[in-house]
Amino acid sequence: MITITNYYTEKKSLQLSSLPETLKKGWSFVDKVTQDGASWDAYHASDSIKKTVDLYLSKLNEFVNSNKPKETKTKLTATKSKQTTRKPTTRRRTTTSSSRTSKLSKREEAYQKADKVELISPELKLIKRFALMHDKVKTQNQIRLFINALQRAITEKRIRKTSPHAKEIMEIQDSLINLMGKFKSANDSIKIELSEKKRSHYLTLVGKQAELRSVKFIKSYINLQGKLIPNDKAKNLYNRIARAINTNKLTKKDKYWSQVDQIMSTLKSFVKKNPAQGQLIVSSKELNGLQGIVEGCDCEMLNGIEENTVPRNTIMSSTDIINLDFHKLGFKGKWLKLIGDPSKGFKAMIFGKPKMGKSYLAVDFAGYLARNHGTVLYVAREEGIDDTLQQKLKDKKVAHPDLYVSDYLPEYLNDYDFVFLDSVNKLGLAPEDLEELSRSFPNTSFINIFQTTKLGNFRGGNEFQHDVDVVIEVPEKGKAVQFGRFNQGGEVNIFS
């Protein structure tokens, strides 16, 4: 049976081309969510991702089982009928257990040898992602998104020329660019093959660092904070930590043992007080300290934060806030006039009556962002991908390699800097859904488009408007007015 534990081992025996279309999408989705097997953190942290992946694995197992050769089935049946005593069954289980223990021992050995850190360096994350692409089939879009992620890390100076592995990063960038030149069409796919020497070198580098187990548990704990969660979810995290302690994988020697011990105590109390479900509330002081750890520092407060990365539910000194460097996107022209200059991760809403031009405005804005500020996903749920949308793209001349369009909202949005939701009403999203999206993808800006009532008001409660930085109304045909936080009263002509 294929599970998340053996997924990347078992999938080597499968051919992507032989899978049904729905399973091909699941194949790509798991690669995106786990960064080609580098981390299953997103799976454990998000219920929606977990449900999607579990459903995919269930369907994949059904497909694999239904396509087994007939002779294999006969052999298994014959073997099963011969096992009339417990002894063979016991021996077989012992072998499996031994094999599993051996595999875990190798992982543990690698973990012990590695330099334990709070935060894996961005270079090593990208190197691991590239190394794990070996022997996998990738589309042009997947390669392009990888290049964007790499170049964004360089632009944001998370990777510098003086970085320890800058040479390998440049090699990988060149390799990815060369791969892009091999695609014959946008729908083409290529099997990635690395030389054993090069792959071994990359994996050796990756093995030099390992994320502290305590930090993994702290991250999972923070993800539960402030949410209404079932008793089982808190119990599951408690048991994961307990297993690590019972097997000596997490001991009092860990530098964050006291924090993990406190987490265990809080989870135990939560489970006792909430037999069904409840809201896990963490004190501001405790939360600030934990967030400081997962940001890679050993401090009580988050000081010296670059850009717009202050997490929610944080208490900071006013003197620290004065010293923060909130990086502006640098809007220019009519968009600066309409909106002002927001920071990364801003939230906006656009609303107006039908046929007034709100979708034209949104498409035009998406094109501007793709040309100048990053990768854009336009979720065209309202119209779908049809000739009407095609005409808008042509009219506004915004088609661009970094502007992607879909007719559904993907689960994984980390590869996009800006996401347009056209429309929120058609997607069936509530205010808490939009809040969850912003919390899950803090570096992504969301532009939410709304249908209106006959009176011209946007459909939905006032919470939608209160939760955004930019509010753009299209009160009459061809005219857009902005009355959000950055540049109240700004306006533009949509069709000029």
Side-chain angles (χ1 to χ4, degrees):
M1 181 177 178
I2 301 174
T3 65
I4 64 168
T5 306
N6 62 10
Y7 176 72
Y8 277 96
T9 301
E10 294 294 327
K11 72 179 285 192
K12 290 179 182 179
S13 62
L14 302 175
Q15 289 293 329
L16 178 61
S17 58
S18 67
L19 299 180
E21 195 59 38
T22 52
L23 291 182
K24 287 180 181 178
K25 289 180 180 179
W27 181 294
S28 299
F29 176 71
V30 172
D31 281 348
K32 284 184 180 180
V33 167
T34 66
Q35 297 180 359
D36 294 321
S39 170
W40 287 88
D41 287 350
Y43 171 87
H44 293 297
S46 168
D47 282 340
S48 57
I49 290 177
K50 186 177 186 300
K51 287 178 183 177
T52 303
V53 173
D54 287 348
L55 179 61
Y56 160 67
L57 292 178
S58 174
K59 297 295 183 184
L60 183 62
N61 278 304
E62 286 179 14
F63 175 81
V64 171
N65 290 333
S66 64
N67 285 274
K68 283 182 178 179
K70 290 183 179 179
E71 58 270 22
T72 305
K73 290 183 179 179
T74 305
K75 186 177 180 181
L76 285 172
T77 304
T79 304
K80 187 175 180 181
S81 65
K82 288 179 182 179
Q83 290 175 349
T84 55
T85 63
R86 282 184 166 184
K87 194 171 182 181
T89 307
T90 306
R91 187 182 297 123
R92 190 169 58 185
R93 284 179 181 170
T94 304
T95 304
T96 304
S97 175
S98 173
S99 173
R100 192 174 294 146
T101 304
S102 175
K103 185 179 287 187
L104 289 173
S105 297
K106 288 181 180 178
R107 288 181 185 175
E108 185 60 25
E109 185 180 346
Y111 178 82
Q112 295 301 333
K113 288 181 179 179
D115 180 20
K116 266 69 77 179
V117 296
E118 290 88 347
L119 201 65
I120 302 292
S121 73
E123 309 107 283
L124 291 183
K125 284 184 178 179
L126 289 165
I127 290 170
K128 183 175 183 178
R129 181 174 173 181
F130 184 69
L132 292 175
M133 286 172 62
H134 173 67
D135 209 31
K136 294 185 176 69
V137 177
K138 296 295 175 184
T139 64
Q140 186 184 55
N141 184 40
Q142 288 173 317
I143 300 299
R144 189 192 300 280
L145 290 174
F146 193 168
I147 293 173
N148 290 343
L150 190 150
Q151 292 182 338
R152 187 161 58 242
I154 295 172
T155 303
E156 294 173 354
K157 295 183 179 179
R158 287 183 285 117
I159 297 177
R160 302 171 183 266
K161 289 182 180 179
T162 55
S163 295
H165 308 299
K167 177 186 173 184
E168 284 80 9
I169 291 296
M170 291 301 105
E171 284 178 358
I172 290 171
Q173 181 174 249
D174 290 342
S175 297
L176 292 170
I177 292 171
N178 287 334
L179 279 172
M180 283 297 293
K182 294 181 180 180
F183 287 98
K184 296 177 182 178
S185 69
N187 298 321
D188 200 6
S189 58
I190 291 178
K191 186 176 181 180
I192 312 299
E193 294 182 347
L194 306 180
S195 70
E196 187 56 36
K197 181 179 179 182
K198 185 66 66 177
R199 183 168 175 268
S200 177
H201 172 63
Y202 289 152
L203 291 176
T204 300
L205 293 178
V206 169
K208 289 183 177 180
Q209 281 190 356
E211 186 179 49
L212 281 160
R213 286 199 176 95
S214 54
V215 172
K216 286 187 177 182
F217 293 134
I218 289 170
K219 282 182 179 179
S220 296
Y221 179 65
I222 290 175
N223 282 332
L224 299 181
Q225 197 282 133
K227 297 179 183 177
L228 188 66
I229 61 171
N231 174 294
D232 286 347
K233 200 159 190 176
K235 214 180 271 185
N236 177 266
L237 178 56
Y238 182 92
N239 289 336
R240 281 169 53 203
I241 299 173
R243 279 196 298 271
I245 295 172
N246 292 337
T247 56
N248 289 322
K249 290 179 179 178
L250 182 64
T251 67
K252 291 183 178 180
K253 292 181 181 179
D254 190 289
K255 63 191 296 186
Y256 299 118
W257 170 264
S258 61
Q259 286 88 346
V260 174
D261 192 43
Q262 178 59 48
I263 287 172
M264 292 277 280
S265 177
T266 303
L267 291 172
K268 189 174 182 179
S269 175
F270 175 87
V271 169
K272 187 176 180 179
K273 292 178 181 178
N274 301 278
Q277 64 176 9
Q279 189 174 21
L280 183 65
I281 302 296
V282 184
S283 70
S284 296
K285 183 179 179 181
E286 181 189 357
L287 187 63
N288 287 336
L290 295 178
Q291 286 170 327
I293 291 169
V294 300
E295 286 291 329
C297 66
D298 210 353
C299 48
E300 279 298 308
M301 298 295 293
L302 298 175
N303 299 318
I305 299 172
E306 293 184 358
E307 300 183 354
N308 189 26
T309 56
V310 182
R312 298 297 181 93
N313 303 307
T314 296
I315 296 176
M316 296 186 68
S317 163
S318 58
T319 56
D320 291 330
I321 294 173
I322 291 295
N323 294 323
L324 289 177
D325 178 20
F326 288 97
H327 176 68
K328 298 293 185 178
L329 288 170
F331 280 11
K332 295 180 180 179
K334 69 178 183 181
W335 300 109
L336 178 63
K337 178 183 175 183
L338 175 65
I339 295 173
D341 194 8
S343 301
K344 181 171 68 174
F346 74 89
K347 293 182 286 185
M349 69 180 294
I350 301 174
F351 70 96
K353 290 183 179 179
K355 311 300 180 185
M356 293 295 174
K358 67 177 182 295
S359 290
Y360 265 99
L361 177 74
V363 167
D364 194 11
F365 188 27
Y368 167 76
L369 293 171
R371 291 192 304 273
N372 299 281
H373 298 289
T375 307
V376 181
L377 176 67
Y378 194 101
V379 182
R381 185 63 175 169
E382 184 85 23
E383 295 178 328
I385 301 175
D386 62 4
D387 57 339
T388 306
L389 178 62
Q390 182 189 59
Q391 192 59 49
K392 288 173 182 174
L393 292 169
K394 288 181 178 179
D395 289 347
K396 285 299 181 180
K397 300 178 181 178
V398 295
H400 190 275
D402 283 329
L403 173 55
Y404 297 90
V405 179
S406 73
D407 58 1
Y408 73 102
L409 179 60
E411 293 280 353
Y412 186 72
L413 299 172
N414 277 333
D415 288 326
Y416 305 104
D417 300 293
F418 307 92
V419 174
F420 286 71
L421 303 175
D422 188 5
S423 67
V424 168
N425 311 95
K426 199 71 175 178
L427 286 162
L429 300 174
E432 52 269 27
D433 296 322
L434 298 182
E435 182 65 24
E436 179 63 25
L437 283 172
S438 296
R439 189 184 295 118
S440 299
F441 307 100
N443 292 320
T444 300
S445 297
F446 288 90
I447 298 87
N448 309 319
I449 302 161
F450 288 83
Q451 297 172 342
T452 58
T453 63
K454 291 181 180 179
L455 295 176
N457 300 318
F458 62 86
R459 293 187 184 277
N462 288 330
E463 303 99 308
F464 284 119
Q465 184 173 330
H466 295 158
D467 288 340
V468 298
D469 309 297
V470 176
V471 180
I472 302 173
E473 182 182 7
V474 182
E476 58 186 74
K477 192 174 182 66
K479 180 182 178 182
V481 180
Q482 198 273 137
F483 49 94
R485 298 175 186 171
F486 299 110
N487 186 35
Q488 290 201 8
E491 60 179 72
V492 296
N493 189 319
I494 296 171
F495 300 111
S496 64

